[in-house]
């Protein structure tokens, strides 16, 4: 084994590459050293994915108090609030200006008359008090920069900040602590969505800056280049918001929603500082755009946990391809978001909602899948361009399964018990979550799906691992604290179609960071796990120089088959696999080389609360090889 000094030097090198020149001294410590502590974010009020309504998709910045409160009233009167839809979120379009004398934000009282106070000031406290009295929660919107997204991209200019250039700077930049204190301590909000338009694109040459409408800032985000994005600065700004939220909400009753649209490698770090993280650019009421948003989140199950969820954007049910005349697609949209453990935020003028759409939003069985307390985002059990199977392990031990026809043609698909990690020789009972009907099969069951249809069931059968659970069945309890990615890469499966840009330029290119991140039941690059020619249908695929945190719910033994994955490219550095329990070394492999047969690794974890799985090389690697924890499991 190499000396500890060499290990620390290698790890410090990797940390410096990840954080750049802004890396603090503390970051130079060994990131692969066990901490005995779960590091994904658990503060705030998001133990389960938040549910509610947001004003943007329905009204854009043409929002007012009557529309907001009318939607809130429908949520209560329709029974949606009783089913969990509690947050009423006011998005862009509410502010008038920033008072330069005090630094306080002034509310547009022409559209929110209850905000006008007798002393001439403005406050949203009367509005949030009314929402709270209805049993609801209140959400508000801001931007991490000086200016909001609508200020930059609004086509109608409605309800945009007024006054001088400085008065129109209503974003958080330079005012984080003051604004968060105002919104939460003074005005009583419970959720904040923080956009990032104000830190991208505002170069001196940009049309907004050159026209004198905005001041240059950064840009800290380049949407077309991870390499030109200042990852450390973006993260630092969002961490400052987290600190302010915790300061002004000592009871932890807040939800922090990061809206970076998958940029700035947010996949890797949002789970450590906030409750929700947008994985895509804005959704739109078209089938292709919904599928795009789904794709941006579906391969990230290990980056979602109770308290920190992937957010593929709001539900667009009620408009376009998901209106009342397209209920098959609307139901698909809803079922897929539930399987992703996504926030269920309605983006529709509920005052116009027919009962058929209220029935989609209010399906209690599918809501229960989204809100399942185990907090496991579904894992892809079958993946192709036309059809995908998603499987989610529920707190009861049963499974939820969705069969998704991505195409616009009818399709036939066969579901197998093995794909559910159930025994093929035993009965499997499926319960349809739309109509409650049951069917029973052994081995496999064929289904015919209409175009754009998603079938969703709960499945009960005999588990393949009767006395335990595979780690890939419980992604909500597995955190890639360090996933080994040194140089963030774009995700080739996910394209960012900028739907308002037309067909100018060279097309829709991948822009999302995330390629090479930890995966359940596949390698970091989407291939089947294999070590020394032996294939595994279950396990965790991750890069070398990584550390996984695993919550242990009373299991006695950890076991896995470990080694360098057959997809490795560099192949020069042997990898040592180590298992820690609450910070203590419990087991370790010999240095494993490419092509070697997998090594069995096991450890007694009785009484251990946190298991940590480390795969490290003796020297740093700029592009670490994929490694695998095949058949990784906890057993009684």
């Amino acid at each position: 084994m190499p000396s500890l000094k060499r290990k620390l030097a290698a790890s410090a090198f990797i940390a410096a590459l990840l954080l750049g020149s802004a890396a603090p001294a503390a970051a130079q410590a060994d990131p692969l050293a066990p901490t005995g502590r779960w590091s994904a974010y658990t503060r705030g009020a998001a133990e389960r994915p938040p549910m509610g309504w947001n004003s943007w998709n329905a009204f854009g910045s043409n929002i007012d108090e009557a529309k907001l409160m009318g939607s809130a009233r429908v949520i209560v009167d329709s029974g949606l609030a009783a089913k969990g839809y509690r947050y009423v979120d006011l998005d862009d379009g509410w502010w008038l200006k920033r008072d330069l004398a005090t630094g306080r934000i002034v509310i547009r009282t022409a559209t929110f008359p209850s905000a006008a106070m007798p002393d001439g000031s403005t406050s949203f406290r009367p509005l949030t008090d009314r929402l709270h009295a209805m049993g609801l929660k209140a959400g508000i919107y801001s931007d991490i920069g000086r200016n909001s997204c609508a200020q930059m991209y609004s086509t109608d200019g409605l309800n945009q900040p007024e006054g001088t250039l400085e008065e129109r700077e209503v974003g958080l930049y330079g005012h984080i602590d003051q604004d968060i204190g105002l919104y939460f301590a003074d005005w009583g909000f419970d959720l904040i969505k923080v956009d990032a338009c104000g830190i991208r694109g505002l170069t001196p040459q940009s049309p907004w800056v050159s026209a004198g409408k905005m001041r240059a800032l950064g840009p800290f985000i380049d949407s077309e280049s991870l390499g030109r994005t200042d990852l450390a600065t973006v993260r630092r700004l969002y961490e400052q918001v987290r600190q302010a939220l915790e300061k002004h909400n000592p009871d932890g009753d807040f939800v922090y929603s990061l809206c970076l649209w998958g940029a700035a490698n947010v996949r890797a770090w949002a789970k450590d500082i906030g409750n929700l993280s947008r994985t895509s650019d804005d959704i739109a009421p078209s089938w292709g755009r919904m599928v795009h948003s789904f794709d941006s989140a579906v391969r990230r199950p290990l980056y979602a946990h109770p308290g920190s969820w992937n957010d593929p954007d709001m539900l667009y049910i009620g408009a376009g391809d998901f209106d009342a005349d397209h209920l098959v697609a609307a139901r698909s949209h809803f079922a897929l978001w539930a399987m992703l453990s996504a926030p269920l935020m309605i983006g529709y003028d509920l005052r116009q909602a027919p009962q058929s759409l209220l029935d989609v939003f209010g399906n209690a069985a599918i809501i229960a899948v989204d809100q399942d307390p185990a907090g496991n985002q579904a894992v892809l059990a079958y993946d192709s361009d036309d059809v995908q199977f998603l499987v989610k392990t529920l707190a009861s031990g049963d499974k939820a399964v969705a069969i998704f026809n991505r195409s616009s043609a009818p399709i036939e698909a066969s579901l197998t018990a093995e794909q559910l990690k159930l025994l093929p020789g035993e009965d499997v009972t499926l319960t349809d979550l739309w109509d409650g009907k049951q069917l029973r099969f052994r081995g496999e069951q064929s289904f015919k799906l209409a175009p754009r249809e998603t079938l969703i069931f709960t499945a009960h059968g005999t588990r393949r691992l009767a006395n335990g659970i595979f780690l890939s069945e419980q992604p909500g309890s597995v955190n890639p604290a360090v996933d080994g990615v040194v140089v963030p890469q774009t995700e080739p499966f996910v394209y960012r179609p900028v739907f308002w840009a037309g067909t100018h330029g060279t097309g829709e290119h991948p822009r999302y960071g995330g390629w090479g991140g930890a995966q359940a039941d596949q390698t970091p690059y989407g291939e089947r796990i294999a070590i020394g020619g032996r294939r595994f249908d279950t396990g965790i695929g991750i890069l070398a120089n990584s550390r996984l945190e695993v919550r242990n719910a009373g299991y006695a033994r950890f076991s896995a088959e470990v080694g360098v994955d057959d997809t490795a490219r560099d192949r020069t550095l042997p990898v040592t696999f180590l298992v820690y329990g609450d910070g203590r070394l419990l087991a370790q492999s010999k240095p494993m080389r490419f092509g070697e047969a997998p090594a069995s690794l096991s450890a007694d974890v009785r009484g251990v609360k946190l298991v940590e799985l480390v795969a490290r090389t003796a020297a740093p690697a700029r592009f670490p090889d994929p490694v695998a924890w095949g058949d990784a499991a906890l057993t009684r």
Side-chain angles (χ1 to χ4, degrees), residues 117-164:
M117 297 291 100
D119 64 359
S121 66
T122 62
S123 173
F124 268 133
R125 176 62 74 169
L127 179 71
T128 61
D129 283 349
R130 288 167 64 194
L131 290 172
H132 292 154
M134 297 167 69
L136 302 172
K137 297 278 191 177
I140 197 166
Y141 168 94
S142 192
D143 193 285
I144 201 70
R146 296 190 187 108
N147 302 100
S148 76
C149 287
Q151 284 182 277
M152 300 172 71
Y153 299 110
S154 172
T155 56
D156 56 26
L158 284 172
N159 296 332
Q160 294 309 301
E162 301 173 5
T164 66

Side-chain angles (χ1 to χ4, degrees), residues 38 471 474 477-479 540 548-553 558 580 608-613 634:
W38 179 262
L471 296 197
Q474 55 162 19
S477 294
V478 180
N479 175 37
I540 303 295
L548 292 160
E549 299 166 350
V550 182
R551 283 175 159 160
N552 179 27
F558 167 80
Y580 295 89
V608 168
K609 294 182 178 179
L610 190 75
V611 178
E612 291 175 85
L613 309 178
L634 291 165

Side-chain angles (χ1 to χ4, degrees), residues 289-556:
R289 190 68 182 177
M290 184 279 288
V291 172
H292 156 77
S293 293
F294 167 79
D295 286 344
S296 73
V298 72
R299 290 178 176 82
R300 301 184 180 192
L302 292 171
Y303 295 84
H305 315 92
S308 55
W309 307 100
N310 289 320
D311 176 10
D313 206 0
M314 292 167 275
L315 296 164
Y316 229 130
I317 294 166
D321 288 347
F322 311 103
D323 65 13
D325 293 327
H326 300 86
L327 286 178
V328 170
R331 288 172 174 172
S332 279
H333 187 358
F334 193 68
L336 293 172
W337 261 231
M339 293 298 289
L340 291 175
S341 301
L344 298 181
M345 292 293 183
I346 299 168
Y348 177 59
D349 184 356
L350 287 172
R351 302 172 305 170
Q352 313 299 322
Q355 189 60 46
S356 60
L357 292 181
L358 293 176
D359 289 344
V360 174
F361 293 129
N363 183 297
I366 296 176
I367 290 172
V369 169
D370 179 79
Q371 297 288 296
D372 185 76
N376 296 316
Q377 179 176 314
V379 172
L380 281 168
Y382 180 84
D383 189 17
S384 74
D385 286 344
D386 293 328
V387 66
Q388 291 171 311
F389 299 170
L390 292 90
V391 178
K392 173 189 283 200
T393 303
L394 305 175
S396 65
D398 286 346
K399 304 297 180 80
V401 55
I403 304 172
F404 174 31
N405 181 3
R406 297 171 61 98
S407 76
S408 296
I411 201 165
E412 185 168 337
S414 293
L415 174 71
T416 70
E418 290 97 332
Q419 290 164 333
L420 300 170
K421 294 186 171 63
L422 301 176
L423 292 181
E426 303 292 336
D427 285 346
V428 176
T429 301
L430 299 179
T431 302
D432 189 305
L433 299 187
W434 286 112
D435 61 19
K437 294 180 181 178
Q438 291 190 337
L439 65 89
R440 186 172 297 168
F441 74 93
R442 286 193 176 191
E444 67 178 71
Q445 175 69 40
S446 293
F447 298 93
K448 292 181 178 180
L449 284 83
R452 301 182 174 182
E453 184 176 18
T454 298
L455 303 178
I456 183 169
F457 308 94
T458 53
H460 179 79
T462 303
R463 296 171 59 85
R464 174 175 150 191
L465 195 61
N467 66 334
I469 190 166
F470 292 112
L471 296 197
S472 63
E473 292 182 282
Q474 55 162 19
S477 294
V478 180
N479 175 37
V482 181
D483 63 14
V485 176
V486 178
V487 181
Q489 300 178 71
T490 52
E491 162 67 83
F493 285 142
V494 182
Y495 287 69
R496 175 181 285 172
V498 184
F499 56 89
W500 56 82
T503 55
H504 301 96
T506 60
E508 301 166 355
H509 301 283
R511 299 185 183 183
Y512 294 86
W515 196 225
Q519 294 287 351
D521 291 344
Q522 57 182 304
T523 76
Y525 299 113
E527 299 178 70
R528 188 172 175 182
I529 294 172
I531 306 170
R534 178 180 166 188
R535 295 187 179 276
F536 294 85
D537 63 1
T538 186
I540 303 295
I542 195 167
L543 298 178
N545 295 320
S546 57
R547 177 170 61 87
L548 292 160
E549 299 166 350
V550 182
R551 283 175 159 160
N552 179 27
Y555 292 100

